[in-house]
Amino acid sequence: MGDDEHAASPSEQQRDTQPRPPARSKDHRIGRYDWEKARGPIHAFGESKNLVAWAGDPRCQVRAETLRTRLAVGWKPEDAIARPKHEQAVLEYTHSGRTLTLRGWADQSGIKYHTLYSRIRSYGMTFEEALDKGADGPHFAIAVTAFGKTQPLYRWGVDPRAAVTATTIRKRILAGWNPQQAITEPPDIRSTLDSGIPYDAFGKRMSLPAWARLSGIPSEVINQRINGHSLTLEAALHSLGWTPPQHTPAATDRTTVPLGQLQIGDLLVSIDTERQIATVDRPSAAGPTALPVLRSPSAATRPTAPAIKTAAPRAHRR
């Protein structure tokens, strides 16, 4: 075999003469990021703190990771700490009459901020298109039915009626909340929902807000019914037309009573505020404690006083 057989082909010779790109480092950030600048004491505003302490300082306008990156690329410490992120002022979007920053919409919908940002900035989507594309994972894509409408959970997070984020709505529904209350209940009430005096009804013992979540009736309405008519919780829920799905109401008789004489178990049908009377469905087994009906009894049905028996006079003995 001659030496010519080992000679490079013309195409190989052409490749050898072309300049080759420099070998890329495994970490392409080397040379651009100097992470040592974000370690140890950081001097700014005449003070010296570590990165975590500066991130918690009231003057810091960004998160710790952003502060770390700014320092690593060479920002002056004062600027890295005090300068707000430009996205907060620029990336604002209006949806359903509500205006939030992009990060705010990310929190509301459960869609990651970088996902929304990439869809809008890298792929040229409008905000509505980026939102319509949905969440990254399955948790915020589950269907939820409320107010007669079924839509993905992330959509309820950006609904005008939503008082909390999609994450909170999801946690509430998993905890057994009524979907409508899970969406509309303000967050400042959420921390006290399971506190307070427990109430017994239908064989269960829960706080009043927990009963409100289960029944879908606002706790204020239930509380007003309990206090306004001196009812137990079970009677109040029954009077509002709610019983657990597995609960079968007892047979009732319809009657009319004064408002001040409502009994436990009465189901309100109507109220006459002028006459101060109520029409109720009262359990048939009310027994001797049942109150008289406010009707004028006829003479035929009016009870008569029982005859008084008197002893016969004794004969006088002679």
Side-chain angles (χ1 to χ4, degrees), residues 97-162:
R98 187 179 183 185
T99 301
L100 294 173
T101 63
L102 187 62
R103 191 171 297 280
W105 285 119
D107 292 339
Q108 282 298 130
S109 65
I111 304 174
K112 295 178 181 179
Y113 169 81
H114 293 291
T115 299
L116 287 175
Y117 184 90
S118 177
R119 289 173 182 174
I120 294 170
R121 293 292 177 151
S122 301
Y123 295 98
M125 296 183 185
T126 64
F127 175 73
E128 294 293 339
E129 290 171 341
L131 199 61
D132 287 337
K133 196 169 176 61
D136 304 323
H139 298 307
F140 298 104
I142 58 174
V144 176
T145 301
F147 306 103
K149 184 178 182 181
T150 301
Q151 59 184 358
L153 178 59
Y154 78 88
R155 271 289 177 187
W156 284 118
V158 298
D159 189 276
R161 289 163 287 196

Side-chain angles (χ1 to χ4, degrees), residues 247-309:
H247 183 78
T248 303
T252 58
D253 294 324
R254 185 156 294 185
T255 185
T256 306
V257 297
L259 291 179
Q261 296 182 1
L262 289 170
Q263 291 185 354
I264 294 175
D266 287 347
L267 175 61
L268 291 176
V269 178
S270 63
I271 296 177
D272 188 337
T273 55
E274 293 184 0
R275 299 171 58 193
Q276 290 293 296
I277 60 174
T279 301
V280 300
D281 286 337
R282 177 164 290 174
S284 300
T289 58
L291 297 177
V293 177
L294 292 183
R295 298 190 183 96
S296 298
S298 61
T301 59
R302 187 178 293 116
T304 57
I308 300 176
K309 297 180 179 180

Side-chain angles (χ1 to χ4, degrees), residues 4-254:
D4 293 340
E5 296 183 15
H6 296 282
S9 63
S11 59
E12 291 177 343
Q13 291 177 356
Q14 185 178 4
R15 283 199 302 266
D16 290 340
T17 58
Q18 291 179 348
R20 294 182 180 181
R24 187 176 183 180
S25 170
K26 292 182 180 180
D27 187 353
H28 64 278
R29 297 175 301 174
I30 294 176
R32 180 184 175 193
Y33 293 84
D34 184 359
W35 301 110
E36 291 298 326
K37 293 180 179 179
R39 297 191 180 102
I42 300 168
H43 304 281
F45 307 108
E47 302 176 39
S48 182
K49 302 180 185 179
N50 62 21
L51 184 126
V52 175
W54 277 120
D57 190 283
R59 290 166 289 188
C60 188
Q61 301 296 312
V62 292
R63 298 180 179 182
E65 185 60 31
T66 302
L67 177 58
R68 178 173 176 266
T69 302
R70 286 179 171 183
L71 292 170
V73 296
W75 283 45
K76 292 181 179 180
E78 288 83 355
D79 290 340
I81 294 167
R83 184 180 296 179
K85 291 187 69 174
H86 69 279
E87 293 97 305
Q88 293 178 349
V90 176
L91 297 181
E92 289 187 346
Y93 299 93
T94 300
H95 173 73
S96 297
R98 187 179 183 185
T99 301
L100 294 173
T101 63
L102 187 62
R103 191 171 297 280
W105 285 119
D107 292 339
Q108 282 298 130
S109 65
I111 304 174
K112 295 178 181 179
Y113 169 81
H114 293 291
T115 299
L116 287 175
Y117 184 90
S118 177
R119 289 173 182 174
I120 294 170
R121 293 292 177 151
S122 301
Y123 295 98
M125 296 183 185
T126 64
F127 175 73
E128 294 293 339
E129 290 171 341
L131 199 61
D132 287 337
K133 196 169 176 61
D136 304 323
H139 298 307
F140 298 104
I142 58 174
V144 176
T145 301
F147 306 103
K149 184 178 182 181
T150 301
Q151 59 184 358
L153 178 59
Y154 78 88
R155 271 289 177 187
W156 284 118
V158 298
D159 189 276
R161 289 163 287 196
V164 290
T165 65
T167 301
T168 300
I169 295 172
R170 177 176 175 269
K171 289 179 180 178
R172 288 175 171 182
I173 291 177
L174 291 176
W177 283 45
N178 175 280
Q180 294 185 186
Q181 276 198 301
I183 295 166
T184 58
E185 193 82 53
D188 56 333
I189 298 176
R190 180 170 60 90
S191 60
T192 59
L193 281 174
D194 290 317
S195 62
I197 302 172
Y199 288 79
D200 296 310
F202 306 107
K204 295 183 179 181
R205 185 177 178 85
M206 299 188 296
S207 66
L208 187 60
W211 281 109
R213 295 199 302 271
L214 181 64
S215 64
I217 303 172
S219 56
E220 295 81 2
V221 175
I222 301 174
N223 190 54
Q224 184 179 12
R225 184 60 59 90
I226 291 173
N227 296 328
H229 300 285
S230 300
L231 301 176
T232 63
L233 172 64
E234 186 167 325
L237 290 172
H238 187 67
S239 71
L240 290 167
W242 184 87
T243 54
Q246 65 274 17
H247 183 78
T248 303
T252 58
D253 294 324
R254 185 156 294 185

